[in-house]
Amino acid sequence: MNGAAYIASIIATGRLHGIGIGSPIADADQAFRSTWIDDLDEANQSLRRDYGLVELYFDGPDWTVVGGSVELHRLATVDGLAEEWQKDEGVEFSEYLPWSEVETALAQLPDAPDLTVDHRQSGYVEYRAQALRVSALVVDSHEERDDWPGHGDVFSVALG
């Protein structure tokens, strides 16, 4: 699957690799083949699991998903991340993902949600599927691509 189709599926379903708000940590263990780093807070109440491109957030004591994100901006700065994600998870990304490609992929889905557009965050436009609790941040500044996505590129996608 290509990156635009993957991101469109997240926006249309509110699920990231089959994982959604309320999913148990065991489901995440089965969904991803990538290695991860766990970051447990000092009170052992919340956990951030970082898979490199994806982060999932869990609340204890039952360790259920309360949020997640696809950190697409990392593709331009972390050498080998795109190749690793394709090998481990079967999703092909390039360094940058234009929002226009995601819009095209969303238009091909029969149940694509209506998106609200929010310009309140300086330098970004947020496209949000409110009912699904998912949003995409797209670079709205006039910056050119370099170590970060440029104008019109997806910066990140978030659940929650």
Side-chain angles (χ1 to χ4, degrees):
M1 172 185 293
N2 72 32
Y6 180 69
I7 297 302
S9 73
I10 295 168
I11 293 169
T13 64
R15 301 187 74 73
L16 193 158
H17 234 68
I19 305 300
I21 304 299
S23 294
I25 198 168
D27 288 359
D29 291 343
Q30 293 177 7
F32 292 95
R33 291 188 299 264
S34 298
T35 58
W36 67 81
I37 296 170
D38 282 343
D39 182 20
L40 187 62
D41 77 334
E42 291 179 13
N44 294 329
Q45 302 267 329
S46 64
L47 170 71
R48 179 182 65 89
R49 180 169 281 180
D50 189 338
Y51 294 91
L53 184 61
V54 166
E55 292 184 1
L56 292 175
Y57 313 107
F58 301 89
D59 272 353
D62 296 331
W63 301 117
T64 57
V65 173
V66 295
S69 61
V70 183
E71 302 295 333
L72 293 162
H73 57 89
R74 292 179 180 173
L75 292 167
T77 58
V78 179
D79 289 335
L81 183 58
E83 294 81 8
E84 184 179 311
W85 196 257
Q86 182 177 4
K87 179 181 71 82
D88 291 345
E89 306 303 336
V91 182
E92 182 178 351
F93 283 103
S94 58
E95 272 187 297
Y96 310 101
L97 178 60
W99 176 248
S100 60
E101 291 181 16
V102 176
E103 286 181 309
T104 299
L106 273 169
Q108 296 173 5
L109 298 176
D111 52 354
D114 291 328
L115 301 176
T116 59
V117 180
D118 187 345
H119 295 276
R120 288 181 289 182
Q121 213 169 353
S122 180
Y124 298 93
V125 175
E126 179 184 34
Y127 294 88
R128 184 156 184 79
Q130 189 68 33
L132 296 167
R133 298 173 55 187
V134 61
S135 62
L137 274 184
V138 177
V139 178
D140 192 37
S141 69
H142 295 290
E143 297 294 320
E144 296 291 323
R145 290 174 171 169
D146 55 20
D147 288 343
W148 291 99
H151 181 76
D153 290 328
V154 182
F155 186 80
S156 64
V157 175
L159 298 178

